Amino acid sequence: MDTTLLIFLLRLAGGFILLAFVGAIGWFIYQDMELARRTLAQVGQAQGRLVVVGSESGTPAVGTAYPLLLVTQIGRASSNTVVLDDGYTSTRHAQLIWRGGQWWLEDLESRNGTLLNGVGLAETAVVSSGDQITVGTVQFQLEL
C-alpha cells in the first residue's frame, strides 16, 4: 500500500471521528435544551386555581377564578399574580408556593393579616383543596 494512500485514509478516518464527535456534542446540547423547554413549560402551567367565594366590595366578582402558578403572589401591586383593588389588602399581602408536593400559604407581613379557614395565619401553613383563604375583604377557595 502506498504511504500517500495510507495518510489519505488516516486523514479521512480522523475527519469522520471529528465529525462524529461534533455531532455527539450537538446531540447532547439538543437533549439538554429539550429538557429545559419541558421543565419551563411545566413551571408555567397552572397547578390549580383560587376562586372568589366572597367579597365585601363586590370586586372581584364572586366566581372569579385565578390560576395558580408555582409561586402565586396576592396583593394590590400590579406585579402580583392576583391583583386586588381593595383598601384592606397590602401591596404584597400573601403568597402561595408549590413546594415539596404541596401548597404553602405565607403572609408577607401584611397590615391586616391573612386568614386560613377563618384563623389568622401566624406562620407559613400547608393548604389543601377546599381551604378558605381571606386576603383583605376578599375570600378565596383553593381548588386543585
Side-chain angles (χ1 to χ4, degrees), residues 3-76:
T3 57
T4 309
L5 181 61
L6 181 63
I7 291 174
F8 174 73
L9 291 177
L10 288 174
R11 284 183 178 176
L12 193 61
F16 282 126
I17 291 172
L18 184 60
L19 187 61
F21 180 72
V22 170
I25 289 174
W27 176 253
F28 288 128
I29 290 172
Y30 172 76
Q31 292 296 319
D32 189 50
M33 288 174 55
E34 278 297 305
L35 178 63
R37 184 190 61 77
R38 285 192 303 268
T39 303
L40 287 174
Q42 288 176 348
V43 167
Q45 291 177 350
Q47 303 290 324
R49 62 188 192 153
L50 283 175
V51 179
V52 177
V53 293
S55 176
E56 289 181 20
S57 65
T59 305
V62 173
T64 303
Y66 297 96
L68 291 177
L69 301 178
L70 295 180
V71 176
T72 302
Q73 290 189 339
I74 305 168
R76 278 195 336 255

Side-chain angles (χ1 to χ4, degrees), residues 51-55 117-118 132-141:
V51 179
V52 177
V53 293
S55 176
N117 296 321
Q132 304 276 322
I133 300 167
T134 304
V135 175
T137 62
V138 181
Q139 188 174 18
F140 298 98
Q141 181 169 339

